[in-house]
């Protein structure tokens, strides 16, 4: 869900301005509306310095020795330190010697704290100047005007804060045209998928935040593409072990996501009866279960059916979002599309409803043609509507694109099968056969697990961001909510 | 005997065509990675994933090979129909050769951009999968052909 924003315009007497800014920073919820995005010379310099220091920090961080004996630097200035680090870095590219490593370790312990400190200072200064630069003057500089956004939940608190400081302000609901910043707020389940969504783009303020809606599909598609209960178990166990060991470098929420995907993959593998490339029905005593598992042809149909479901779902979302945010008639073309798609599915596949007439198709067509662009004039609107009808070809492409789920699942299952049969062949080698058997199994399945999960992940991403986002009317390109606050926090 | 030859040629094509494509595709990505490492060494994880993307085409070909080879139709008395089916299924994979090379080029561009500080990892992944769809379709088609044998 996108957190709604409130727009604040404040009038500040110029004498109070300097004292007011630290207070504003302390409260830390105000996102300034940027009228002037270009950095001036000072700001550019600060930014360059921040990048340079950051590079040095990253470089030194890798060489920091385990025993963190703090030592004091001898009062070098930051440019001096940077120069020293740069020299060592250049030498290191030519030759690697123990001596250089020693120097680096010494540098790391000595300089890192002061570099960190300087970086925070610079970042603070950069932020402060950004706010000053975007403040407008009025009444010959006697009054300063600050405009920006505050999330609606914090509106009351911020308003009280301004009152207590005696600052005149106006608050409004943020409009789409003001380009408000985007802050996402999701429940624990869909929050796991936020990093995936941000790989593509943040939604625009007028869009719907689709994270919660693509999350269940994403998990399901991943399982579909892996198609092996054994691999699901390995993902689950691997992520759990990493979590228990408490690896600091990987975020906990990523591991939870892997655990979740592992569970889904496990259940999907059970649905098709694959475990480490062996069909469950081949186990002794379980041959009766063959009928329970999905056959290849059924998986093929299932993939396409899921495609229809997700695309229709996306259209429902788009229609509802437009109806709520703009007005009822703006969502009608989506209603038309949904009617046409349902009619076609019924006509070609289910054949349940009798074909008395095709009236629903006509209504659907009319909705698309007449309401494609409600703001345009009659003829221009109809022209746009007829153009929109060409979307039917794209729609067919979108649905067929879901075949990839079937092909990915089948190919990962077949490769697992291949690894097993190679291992069985190699077991016949005398004496060391069993050892080789284990090595082939271990190595082969690790490789296949890597390739299959990469493929399943990437293709699921594509289905989400191309097919689903397109049909859900996602425009994207929102800028993230960055409140004016103290950087070191 | 001619029929058997045709069938085996089809089988060979399933490995040759996507294999060549994947080999070229992954090496385009890997070459870009080596250049990018100088500019931004800590992005190696991203580069590797992008380079590995175009490796899947060869695997699709191999999966198809396995499906056909395990059918047990490769006997001297193979029917002309079955032989041409295997050959067609192999010839389809010429699609994968091009898809893999093109995908490698997209990935290489993405790697170069990431190295110059442009955060396009996720977007490159999405765009790079566009050509892969056609390899997947080739595999799906080969699979459907094998179902009729």
């Amino acid at each position: 869900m996108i957190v709604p924003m409130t727009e604040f315009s404040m009038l500040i007497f110029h004498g109070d301005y300097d004292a007011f800014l630290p207070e504003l920073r302390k409260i830390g919820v105000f996102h300034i509306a940027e009228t002037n995005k270009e950095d001036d010379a000072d700001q550019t310099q600060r930014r360059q310095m921040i990048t340079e220091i950051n590079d040095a920090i990253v470089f030194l961080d890798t060489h920091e020795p385990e025993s963190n004996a703090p030592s004091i630097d001898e009062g070098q200035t930051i440019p001096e330190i940077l120069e020293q680090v740069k020299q060592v870095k250049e030498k290191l590219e030519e030759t690697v010697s123990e001596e250089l490593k020693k120097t680096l370790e010494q540098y790391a312990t000595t300089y890192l704290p002061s570099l960190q400190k300087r970086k925070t200072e610079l970042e603070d200064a950069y932020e402060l100047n950004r706010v000053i630069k975007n403040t407008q003057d009025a009444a010959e500089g006697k009054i300063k005007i600050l405009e920006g956004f505050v999330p609606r939940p914090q509106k009351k608190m911020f308003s009280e804060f301004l009152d207590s400081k005696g600052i005149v302000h106006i608050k409004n609901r943020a409009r789409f045209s003001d380009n408000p910043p985007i802050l996402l707020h999701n429940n624990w389940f869909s929050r796991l998928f936020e990093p995936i969504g941000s790989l593509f783009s943040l939604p625009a303020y007028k869009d719907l935040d689709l994270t919660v809606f693509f999350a269940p599909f994403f998990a399901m598609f991943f399982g579909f593409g892996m198609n092996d209960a054994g691999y699901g178990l390995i993902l689950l166990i691997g992520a759990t072990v990493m979590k228990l060991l408490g690896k600091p470098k990987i975020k906990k929420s990523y591991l939870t996501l892997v655990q979740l995907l592992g569970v889904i993959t496990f259940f999907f593998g059970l649905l098709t009866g694959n475990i480490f490339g062996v069909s469950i029905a081949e186990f002794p005593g379980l041959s009766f279960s063959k009928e329970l598992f999905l056959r290849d042809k059924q998986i093929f149909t299932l993939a396409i059916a899921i495609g229809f479901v997700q695309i229709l779902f996306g259209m429902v979302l788009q229609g509802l979002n437009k109806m709520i945010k703009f007005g009822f008639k703006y969502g009608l073309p989506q209603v038309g599309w949904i009617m046409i798609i349902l009619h076609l599915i019924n006509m070609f596949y289910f054949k349940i409803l009798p074909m008395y007439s095709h009236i629903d198709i006509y209504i659907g067509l009319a909705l698309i043609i007449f309401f494609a662009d409600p703001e345009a004039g009659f003829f221009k609107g109809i022209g746009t509507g007829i153009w929109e009808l060409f979307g039917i070809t794209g729609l067919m492409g979108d649905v067929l694109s879901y075949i990839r789920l079937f092909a990915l699942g089948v190919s990962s299952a077949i490769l697992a099968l291949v690894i097993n049969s190679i291992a069985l062949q190699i077991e016949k080698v005398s004496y060391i056969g069993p050892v080789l058997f284990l090595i082939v199994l271990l190595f082969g399945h690790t490789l296949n697990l890597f390739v299959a999960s990469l493929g399943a992940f990437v293709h699921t991403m594509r289905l989400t961001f191309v097919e689903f986002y397109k049909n859900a009317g996602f425009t994207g390109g929102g800028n993230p909510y960055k409140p004016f606050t103290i950087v070191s926090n | 005997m001619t029929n058997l030859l045709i069938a085996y040629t089809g089988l060979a094509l399933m490995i040759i065509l996507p294999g060549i494509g994947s080999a070229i595709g992954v090496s385009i990505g890997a070459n870009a990675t080596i250049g990018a490492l100088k500019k931004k060494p800590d992005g190696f994880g991203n580069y590797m994933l992008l380079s590995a993307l175009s490796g899947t085409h060869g695997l699709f070909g191999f999966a198809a090979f396995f499906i056909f080879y395990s059918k047990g139709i490769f006997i001297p008395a193979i029917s002309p129909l079955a032989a041409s089916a295997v050959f067609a299924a192999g010839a389809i994979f010429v699609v994968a050769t091009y898809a893999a090379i093109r995908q490698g080029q997209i990935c290489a561009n993405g790697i170069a951009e990431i190295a110059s500080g442009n955060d396009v990892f996720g977007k490159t992944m999405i765009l790079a999968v566009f050509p892969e769809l056609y390899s997947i379709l080739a595999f799906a088609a080969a699979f459907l052909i094998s179902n009729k044998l």
Side-chain angles (χ1 to χ4, degrees):
Chain A
M1 196 189 93
I2 299 174
V3 177
M5 293 279 161
T6 306
E7 192 183 17
F8 274 85
S9 306
M10 304 172 235
L11 302 176
I12 308 150
F13 183 60
H14 72 108
D16 300 338
Y17 182 68
D18 288 340
F20 173 66
L21 285 184
E23 298 284 332
L24 184 67
R25 162 172 280 186
K26 219 160 122 198
I27 205 122
V29 290
F30 183 72
H31 175 107
I32 182 124
E34 284 186 274
T35 45
N36 183 5
K37 282 201 174 170
E38 290 284 304
D39 283 345
D40 57 12
D42 279 357
Q43 289 286 78
T44 320
Q45 209 188 352
R46 276 191 198 104
R47 205 184 209 151
Q48 270 170 4
M49 200 66 190
I50 292 173
T51 332
E52 266 177 55
I53 294 179
N54 198 35
D55 285 350
I57 290 176
V58 170
F59 178 65
L60 285 180
D61 239 3
T62 51
H63 294 279
E64 202 181 358
E66 291 290 321
S67 60
N68 213 341
S71 52
I72 304 126
D73 59 26
E74 293 136 22
Q76 285 103 330
T77 59
I78 297 294
E80 277 170 9
I81 296 178
L82 286 179
E83 188 53 37
Q84 279 179 331
V85 173
K86 206 171 140 195
Q87 276 174 8
V88 179
K89 203 173 175 180
E90 272 165 16
K91 274 188 203 155
L92 203 65
E93 275 172 18
E94 285 159 22
T95 48
V96 181
S97 70
E98 279 303 307
E99 200 187 338
L100 272 178
K101 274 188 185 162
K102 275 269 161 61
T103 333
L104 266 180
E105 282 181 8
Q106 198 209 333
Y107 279 1
T109 42
T110 325
Y111 296 148
L112 269 179
S114 50
L115 282 176
Q116 298 276 21
K117 199 172 143 237
R118 183 75 190 133
K119 187 182 152 203
T120 342
E121 281 170 14
L122 277 170
E123 278 170 346
D124 274 336
Y126 182 85
E127 281 300 301
L128 184 66
N129 277 291
R130 201 166 62 89
V131 172
I132 292 175
K133 218 159 51 67
N134 285 299
T135 311
Q136 289 147 27
D137 285 340
E140 292 165 351
K142 289 279 192 301
I143 290 174
K144 306 266 187 188
I145 304 174
L146 263 176
E147 283 186 330
F149 301 93
V150 171
R152 199 172 292 164
Q154 271 101 31
K155 178 175 91 171
K156 202 158 165 252
M157 185 266 282
F158 191 68
S159 196
E160 278 164 8
F161 158 75
L162 289 181
D163 285 338
S164 73
K165 297 280 166 224
I167 286 169
V168 184
H169 61 273
I170 310 164
K171 47 180 188 275
N172 280 318
R173 270 173 76 131
R175 282 163 307 178
F176 307 131
S177 52
D178 299 332
N179 198 12
I182 306 297
L183 175 68
L184 299 182
H185 179 78
N186 282 309
N187 60 12
W188 70 269
F189 172 71
S190 40
R191 201 159 42 228
L192 294 177
F193 292 84
E194 269 179 23
I196 297 174
S198 66
L199 278 177
F200 184 62
S201 170
L202 274 177
Y205 196 67
K206 64 174 183 208
D207 291 341
L208 206 59
D209 174 23
L210 293 172
T211 316
V212 66
F213 302 112
F214 81 66
F217 284 103
F218 196 98
M220 182 164 67
F221 291 173
F222 183 85
F224 211 138
M226 293 286 279
N227 191 13
D228 194 302
Y231 290 174
L233 274 184
I234 287 190
L235 287 182
L236 176 63
I237 293 169
T240 314
V241 168
M242 294 251 270
K243 222 175 181 178
L244 291 179
L245 287 178
K247 290 267 176 201
K249 282 205 168 167
I250 307 168
K251 267 200 195 166
K252 243 190 172 160
S253 61
Y254 290 178
L255 292 176
T256 316
L257 179 65
V258 176
Q259 282 178 315
L260 185 78
L261 293 178
V263 172
I264 303 279
T265 306
F266 175 73
F267 282 111
F268 206 89
L270 286 188
L271 208 61
T272 53
N274 285 318
I275 181 158
F276 289 117
V278 184
S279 175
I280 291 178
E282 282 172 23
F283 285 115
L286 287 177
S287 52
F288 66 90
S289 63
K290 197 160 195 253
E291 287 303 307
L292 298 176
F293 299 126
L294 292 181
R295 279 182 302 265
D296 288 327
K297 225 174 173 178
Q298 288 168 317
I299 301 177
F300 190 91
T301 321
L302 183 63
I304 299 224
I306 287 182
F308 268 116
V309 170
Q310 199 188 21
I311 285 175
L312 281 173
F313 182 57
M315 284 183 164
V316 170
L317 289 177
Q318 185 184 358
L320 285 179
N321 184 42
K322 281 184 173 167
M323 282 179 185
I324 292 168
K325 286 196 175 161
F326 297 103
F328 183 70
K329 62 184 175 182
Y330 287 82
L332 287 178
Q334 271 62 49
V335 178
W337 278 118
I338 293 166
M339 285 169 82
I340 291 177
I341 294 173
L342 289 179
H343 184 97
L344 291 178
I345 294 175
N346 179 45
M347 198 162 83
F348 289 114
Y349 194 75
F350 286 117
K351 299 180 179 120
I352 304 170
L353 301 172
M355 291 293 133
Y356 291 127
S357 69
H358 296 300
I359 188 125
D360 48 348
I361 280 230
Y362 298 133
I363 295 175
L365 283 175
L367 287 177
I368 295 170
I369 291 176
F370 290 113
F371 292 98
D373 189 357
E375 273 164 29
F378 184 72
F379 289 107
K380 193 180 168 227
I382 287 184
T384 320
I386 290 173
W387 177 248
E388 291 284 309
L389 281 183
F390 281 100
I392 191 87
T393 54
L395 204 65
M396 279 165 67
D398 288 351
V399 173
L400 291 180
S401 185
Y402 286 82
I403 293 175
R404 76 183 69 226
L405 290 176
F406 155 78
L408 281 172
V410 170
S411 77
S412 90
I414 285 176
L415 287 175
L417 188 72
V418 170
I419 291 159
N420 290 344
S421 64
I422 292 175
L424 282 176
Q425 291 283 323
I426 213 159
E427 200 195 7
K428 289 171 193 149
V429 176
S430 50
Y431 304 121
I432 53 166
V435 181
L436 288 177
F437 173 74
L438 278 179
I439 292 175
V440 168
L441 276 189
L442 215 63
F443 182 73
H445 281 299
T446 313
L447 195 71
N448 192 29
L449 176 64
F450 173 73
V451 172
S453 42
L454 181 68
F457 193 81
V458 174
H459 284 280
T460 305
M461 249 168 62
R462 183 223 145 107
L463 286 179
T464 307
F465 296 139
V466 181
E467 273 76 17
F468 179 58
Y469 269 31
K470 188 176 98 188
N471 286 300
F474 184 89
T475 45
N479 54 331
Y481 169 69
K482 267 191 287 185
F484 177 49
T485 175
I486 300 160
V487 177
S488 44
N489 291 359
Chain B
M1 229 16 229
T2 330
N3 287 339
L4 196 59
L5 185 66
I6 290 174
Y8 267 115
T9 314
L11 213 50
L13 286 178
M14 289 175 204
I15 301 296
I16 295 170
L17 292 174
I20 291 175
S22 276
I24 298 177
V26 290
S27 25
I28 295 174
N31 284 338
T33 301
I34 291 168
L37 280 176
K38 165 98 182 171
K39 271 188 178 169
K40 195 173 169 224
D42 51 326
F44 186 68
N46 289 354
Y47 307 153
M48 198 186 66
L49 284 182
L50 286 177
S51 305
L53 268 192
S54 35
T56 41
H57 305 259
L59 291 177
F60 286 133
F62 187 68
F65 166 87
F66 188 81
I67 294 173
F68 281 92
Y69 196 61
S70 56
K71 287 264 175 208
I73 49 172
F74 294 91
I75 43 168
I78 185 172
S79 74
L81 187 71
S84 9
V86 179
F87 183 79
I92 289 173
F93 278 98
V94 77
V95 171
T97 315
Y98 284 97
I101 295 173
R102 291 300 189 185
Q103 190 178 39
Q105 288 168 342
I106 298 174
C107 292
N109 276 329
I111 291 167
E113 280 301 305
I114 294 171
S116 20
N118 192 355
D119 185 21
V120 289
F121 176 64
K123 282 160 197 153
T124 310
M125 276 210 159
I126 299 162
L127 289 174
V129 192
F130 282 27
E132 192 167 331
L133 173 64
Y134 304 100
S135 285
I136 292 178
L137 288 185
F139 173 71
F143 185 82
L144 294 177
I145 292 175
S146 80
N147 269 350
K148 290 281 172 213
L149 285 179

